[in-house]
Amino acid sequence: MWRLWELVRTGLAVIFTEFGGNLRDFFARQQPTIWLLSLVIGGVVGVGAILFRLGIGLVQLSWLGTQGEAIHSAAAALPAVVILLAPTLGGLVVGLWLQFLQPMRRTSSVADVMEARVRGGRGLAFWPGLSSAGVTILSLGCGASAGREGPVVHFGATLSSAICDFFRLPVSGRKVLLACGVASAVSASFNAPIAGALFAHEVVLGHYALSAIVPIVISSVVGSLLSRLWFGDVAAFVIPDHQITSYWEFPAFALLGVTCAVVAILFQAAVIGSDWASRHIAMPIWLRPTVGGLAVGGIAIFFPHVLGVGYEATDMALQSTLPISLMLWLLVMKTAATAITLASRFGGGIFSPSLYLGAMAGGAYGLIAASVFPHFASSEGLYAILGMGAVAASTLGAPVSTVMIVFELTGGYALSIALLITVFIAVGITQAVYGRSYFHWQLESRGIILQEGAHQWLVNRVHVSDFFIRAKPGEEPGDLTGDQPHLVTTDTLEFALRRFDDTGEARLPVVEPGSNAIVGTAAHVRALRYFNAALIEASVEEHR
C-alpha cells in the first residue's frame, strides 16, 4: 500500500510540475494579454470595416443615389455624361490627395501587411494608413474598378499595429495580433469567420501555429459578429442551390481549372503590364487618377457592370442570368478597367475583381459545356461558383482560404470535391507560369523577396550595423590602410558573410559610408550567431 501511495504521489508531482512549467511559459509569452487584445482588436477592426463599407456607400450616394451593391442597376439609369464624369472628377480629388497628403503617393494593400509581418509587426504607421483608407473609400465610391477587401485588410492591420504600439508588445505578440487584425477585417468584409482565420495564417503569418490559432479565431469571430449585427446574417452573394448533375462532369471541372488558370494569368499580366507602362509615362501624380477615371468612365458608359466592386454583376453570373456574349465581353472589360484603375493609383485591391472574372469565366464555360453535353452538364451558376474560387485562388496565391471563402460566401459546401479539383489545378498552372502570387510580385517590385523563406529575407535585410561591435568612446582604432579588407555599416549580412569567406578573416574593421575612419569591428562568429538566432526564433514561432 505504501509503495502504491509513493507511485501515485510521484506521478502527481510529475504531472503538476509539467502543468506548472506549461503555465509559466504561457504567462511568460504574455498569452493572456494577447488573447484579451485579440478580442479588442477584433472589435475595433470590425467596426473599422463597417465604417469603411459605409464610407464607400456615402460617396456612391452622391452620384448613384444608392449606398448598396446594386451599382450596375443604378448606373444603367443615369445619363452617359454622369457615368463619365463621376470617376473622372473622383480621380481628380484622389490625385490631389495623393499629391499633397498621402505619403509615398500611393495607397497600401495586403503586400504592405506581409512586409510588416517580416519586420516584426512594425512598419504600418497609423495616419498614413488612415489616409490610405480614405483614398480607397473615395476611389471605390466614385466608381473605380477594384476591390475593397485588400484595403480593408491593410486598414485592420494598421489599427492592430497601433494597439500593439500602445501596449509595447514583443515581436512574437505583434505578429500574431497583426494577423488578428487581418482575420477580423476579412471576416467582417465577407461575413466569413473561418475564411478570415485561414487567410490570416496562409497569407500574413505564412504558417499555422497552435499558439496563434486561438487569438486569431477570437478576432475573426468578433469581426463577423459585428458585421452580422449591422448588415444582417447574409452571405455576400445570394444564389440558388446547385447540384452536380453527373460524376462524368469531373473532366469538365478539371478543364475549367485550366481555363481559369489562363484567365488568372492574363489578368495578372494586364495588371502588371499596365503598372509597368504607367511608370514609364511622365505625368504629374495628381493627373494620373484623373486620366484613369476618364478611361474607366468611358468603358462604363457601355458596360456599367465594371464600376466599383462589382458584386451585383458577380451575383448575376452566379444566378445564371447573364448571356454568354455579355460574360465574355465583361471578362475583357473588367480586366481592362481594373488594370487601368490600379495603374492610375486609385485605391483598391484585386480580390473582388478576381472573384468577378472567375464568375464570368465559369458562367461562360458552363453555357458552352451545356451546349456540348446537355444531358451531363450542370447549370452555368455552378460553374460560375467554381470559376470564382479558381481565379481568385490563383491570383492571390491562397488556395485554402479562398476555397473556404467561396464556401462561406455561397453556402456551396456540397460542391467541395468539384471546387477543390478546379481550384488546385488552376493554382498549380498559375504557379508554374508565374512562380509567385500577385502580392509577392508587388513586394518584389520594391526589392523584397519573401517566398524563398526567412533566410533569404534576413541575409538581405540585416546589415552590418545590426551586429558589429562599435568602438568605445575614447578608443581610436585608426583609419583603413591601403586595400585593407573591411566592411561598411550599410553592407548586408549576405555581403558580409561572403566577405568573411573571401578574405578568410575572422574579424574585419567596419567604417561608415564614405569614410576611412574605423568605427568598430565585425566578427564572423558574431554574424553567424545573429543569423542563426534569427532563424531559430522564426522556426520556434512557426511551430509553437
Side-chain angles (χ1 to χ4, degrees):
M1 181 63 72
W2 178 255
R3 288 193 63 182
L4 179 61
W5 166 247
E6 283 294 316
L7 288 173
V8 171
R9 191 164 66 87
T10 303
L12 290 173
V14 171
I15 291 172
F16 283 115
T17 300
E18 180 70 19
F19 285 171
N22 290 336
L23 287 174
R24 284 192 297 273
D25 181 63
F26 179 79
F27 284 101
R29 291 186 289 115
Q30 297 184 321
Q31 288 298 296
T33 303
I34 291 173
W35 287 18
L36 180 61
L37 288 179
S38 70
L39 182 65
V40 175
I41 287 172
V44 171
V45 174
V47 171
I50 293 171
L51 293 175
F52 190 95
R53 185 168 166 182
L54 292 177
I56 295 173
L58 287 174
V59 179
Q60 284 179 196
L61 186 65
S62 65
W63 67 283
L64 282 174
T66 179
Q67 293 180 267
E69 304 288 0
I71 298 176
H72 157 251
S73 299
L78 294 175
V81 65
V82 175
I83 297 176
L84 185 66
L85 288 178
T88 304
L89 295 178
L92 176 60
V93 179
V94 166
L96 293 173
W97 192 327
L98 292 174
Q99 180 81 46
F100 299 107
L101 298 177
Q102 181 64 19
M104 297 186 293
R105 297 182 176 180
R106 66 168 178 84
T107 57
S108 302
S109 64
V110 176
D112 295 274
V113 181
M114 295 167 65
E115 180 181 354
R117 186 261 301 174
V118 297
R119 293 185 183 276
R122 294 181 172 85
L124 298 177
F126 180 73
W127 291 113
L130 193 63
S131 175
S132 176
V135 172
T136 304
I137 287 171
L138 179 59
S139 299
L140 299 180
C142 73
S145 179
R148 66 176 176 233
E149 293 75 25
V152 170
V153 165
H154 178 267
F155 185 43
T158 299
L159 295 175
S160 176
S161 181
I163 292 174
C164 291
D165 288 339
F166 181 81
F167 287 95
R168 299 181 180 179
L169 293 176
V171 170
S172 58
R174 295 182 66 95
K175 290 182 179 180
V176 172
L177 291 177
L178 191 74
C180 287
V182 170
S184 180
V186 172
S187 178
S189 296
F190 285 119
N191 190 12
I194 301 175
L198 290 176
F199 185 87
H201 277 95
E202 188 173 20
V203 176
V204 178
L205 281 183
H207 64 266
Y208 292 87
L210 288 175
S211 61
I213 287 176
V214 173
I216 288 175
V217 168
I218 290 173
S219 290
S220 186
V221 168
V222 172
S224 181
L225 285 175
L226 291 174
S227 178
R228 294 181 185 188
L229 286 172
W230 187 269
F231 296 111
D233 187 10
V234 293
F237 304 109
V238 180
I239 61 172
D241 292 332
H242 293 295
Q243 298 294 329
I244 298 174
T245 301
S246 169
Y247 286 109
W248 290 102
E249 282 190 272
F250 277 85
F253 297 150
L255 185 57
L256 175 60
V258 177
T259 304
C260 289
V262 173
V263 172
I265 290 168
L266 293 177
F267 174 53
Q268 291 184 70
V271 173
I272 295 171
S274 60
D275 181 83
W276 181 87
S278 70
R279 293 176 187 273
H280 288 75
I281 297 175
M283 184 184 298
I285 295 296
W286 65 268
L287 189 58
R288 291 179 182 273
T290 309
V291 175
L294 182 64
V296 171
I299 295 173
I301 290 176
F302 304 98
F303 298 95
H305 313 73
V306 306
L307 290 170
V309 177
Y311 273 11
E312 183 187 15
T314 304
D315 206 29
M316 293 168 70
L318 295 175
Q319 295 183 43
S320 309
T321 59
L322 294 178
I324 185 171
S325 58
L326 180 57
M327 286 190 284
L328 292 175
W329 270 111
L330 290 179
L331 271 173
V332 177
M333 294 304 166
K334 185 65 174 180
T335 298
T338 302
I340 292 169
T341 292
L342 298 179
S344 302
R345 302 200 186 185
F346 277 105
I350 60 165
F351 206 127
S352 296
S354 62
L355 293 175
Y356 182 113
L357 294 175
M360 298 303 163
Y365 180 95
L367 287 173
I368 295 172
S371 66
V372 177
F373 301 103
H375 300 295
F376 294 107
S378 302
S379 70
E380 66 267 28
L382 180 143
Y383 284 91
I385 295 174
L386 303 181
M388 185 169 67
V391 174
S394 300
T395 304
L396 304 177
V400 176
S401 52
T402 304
V403 165
M404 187 52 63
I405 285 174
V406 173
F407 283 161
E408 293 191 281
L409 288 181
T410 63
Y413 292 93
L415 313 177
S416 57
I417 299 177
L419 186 61
L420 289 173
I421 289 175
T422 307
V423 166
F424 282 91
I425 287 177
V427 170
I429 294 174
T430 306
Q431 287 296 305
V433 174
Y434 281 120
R436 60 196 185 282
S437 70
Y438 174 76
F439 300 139
H440 283 113
W441 168 80
Q442 284 185 303
L443 290 173
E444 284 185 15
S445 67
R446 306 170 198 170
I448 300 168
I449 301 174
L450 297 184
Q451 69 267 28
E452 296 183 9
H455 65 283
Q456 186 65 40
W457 165 262
L458 285 170
V459 295
N460 286 288
R461 290 297 158 181
V462 173
H463 296 87
V464 171
S465 58
D466 295 319
F467 61 83
F468 88 108
I469 302 174
R470 186 175 291 275
K472 295 180 180 180
E475 293 184 355
E476 296 181 356
D479 296 336
L480 294 175
T481 58
D483 295 329
Q484 182 182 1
H486 65 281
L487 293 171
V488 182
T489 54
T490 54
D491 288 337
T492 64
L493 175 61
E494 180 180 28
F495 179 87
L497 292 176
R498 289 180 178 175
R499 191 68 167 160
F500 281 120
D501 185 60
D502 291 340
T503 62
E505 298 288 342
R507 293 176 177 273
L508 289 173
V510 178
V511 300
E512 296 287 356
S515 171
N516 285 326
I518 299 173
V519 295
T521 306
H524 192 185
V525 172
R526 187 179 177 87
L528 290 173
R529 187 184 299 123
Y530 188 97
F531 183 43
N532 291 334
L535 288 178
I536 291 171
E537 181 182 357
S539 179
V540 169
E541 177 193 336
E542 293 178 9
H543 294 89
R544 175 170 286 170

